[in-house]
Amino acid sequence: MEQADASPSGQPPEVAGRIFGDRLELATAYVRFLETTGVQHGLIGPREVPRLWDRHVLNCAVIAPAFGQHATVADVGSGAGLPGMVLAIARPDLRVTLVEPLERRTRWLTEVVHDLGLEVTVLQRKAENAWGEVVVDEVTSRAVAQLGELARLSLPLLRPNGRMVALKGERAASELEADAEVLDRLRVAQRRVATYGEGVLDPPSTVVELTLDGVAPQLRQPVGDGPARTAARKKARRAERRRARPGRGE
């Protein structure tokens, strides 16, 4: 198995050429953005620069076959464009929307999309605020939230019977099992763990693939034990303490 030995200068490993083909130059330009202005804007940590290719870019690129031909795809919580920007480079037939709530990140994403000449839409929104505005065939994400909460945020963006492909790594199977009840509530009909890039990357990329039965309901309250649920609980406790103060709620 060939290792993707990354270079801090953004020079691609040989395996990148096999994955990106004639789009390698675009991928290399994207990596250079990540290791320069991406670091300056806080989208990528400086310690990640030496492993941008293997741990980040190629990790996302190898899942490109998971998506249907000419599909519309929303990358939820896109951050630095992983995996959405990479998919748009590797699969020019896809119509990709990068959904990201933070202005400084969407500003950077917009500049990179323009400079690379990609046909990618950048939308500054929280996922739940894009329900009804963004309607796509497939959604994807990487390192955003626990599977159940990620599904709550992402699945309402899908057309009937749409799919979610979430990069999850070694946590894929355990999160799928832990959040089975939430996925039932969200009308997930099919669910599986799949691996991409075997024989190309070590380790290969592991994803959770979910397929809807119809349309997912819009659950407004966070679910599971992820960051959003924790924040909601803290907010509820603060509200309870305010109500309990003398002179309140009488």
Side-chain angles (χ1 to χ4, degrees), residues 38-214:
V39 172
Q40 293 164 14
H41 287 75
L43 281 80
I44 292 289
R47 293 182 180 179
E48 295 302 306
V49 170
R51 50 189 181 182
L52 282 173
W53 278 106
D54 56 349
R55 182 167 181 171
H56 298 283
V57 175
L58 297 181
N59 172 259
C60 295
V62 294
I63 73 167
F67 299 87
Q69 288 291 318
H70 305 288
T72 52
V73 179
D75 176 12
V76 174
S78 188
L82 300 163
M85 192 89 76
V86 176
L87 294 173
I89 294 171
R91 288 278 307 277
D93 63 297
L94 300 178
R95 288 173 288 166
V96 176
T97 298
L98 308 178
V99 181
E100 167 56 47
L102 297 184
E103 182 182 2
R104 65 181 175 84
R105 293 178 179 173
T106 55
R107 214 168 37 235
W108 183 87
L109 289 168
T110 300
E111 292 173 0
V112 174
V113 165
H114 178 267
D115 288 351
L116 295 181
L118 296 174
E119 294 186 8
V120 169
T121 300
V122 178
L123 182 66
Q124 186 187 343
R125 294 282 191 285
K126 290 184 177 180
E128 56 265 56
N129 293 339
W131 294 347
E133 178 181 3
V134 174
V135 182
V136 294
D137 302 317
E138 303 184 78
V139 291
T140 189
S141 59
R142 180 178 185 260
V144 171
Q146 174 87 9
L147 181 62
E149 176 64 5
L150 179 62
R152 181 189 75 83
L153 295 170
S154 302
L155 295 184
L157 301 173
L158 290 171
R159 301 185 195 281
N161 307 316
R163 295 175 66 247
M164 182 170 89
V165 180
L167 276 155
K168 279 295 177 182
E170 61 185 13
R171 304 186 312 277
S174 60
E175 290 192 20
L176 190 58
E177 180 178 1
D179 291 336
E181 184 178 343
V182 173
L183 299 181
D184 289 340
R185 291 172 59 196
L186 290 166
R187 301 189 63 178
V188 174
Q190 300 175 32
R191 56 199 82 177
R192 74 173 189 134
V193 175
T195 302
Y196 294 89
E198 290 181 318
V200 178
L201 296 183
D202 185 16
S205 299
T206 303
V207 303
V208 172
E209 298 180 357
L210 307 178
T211 303
L212 282 177
D213 176 15

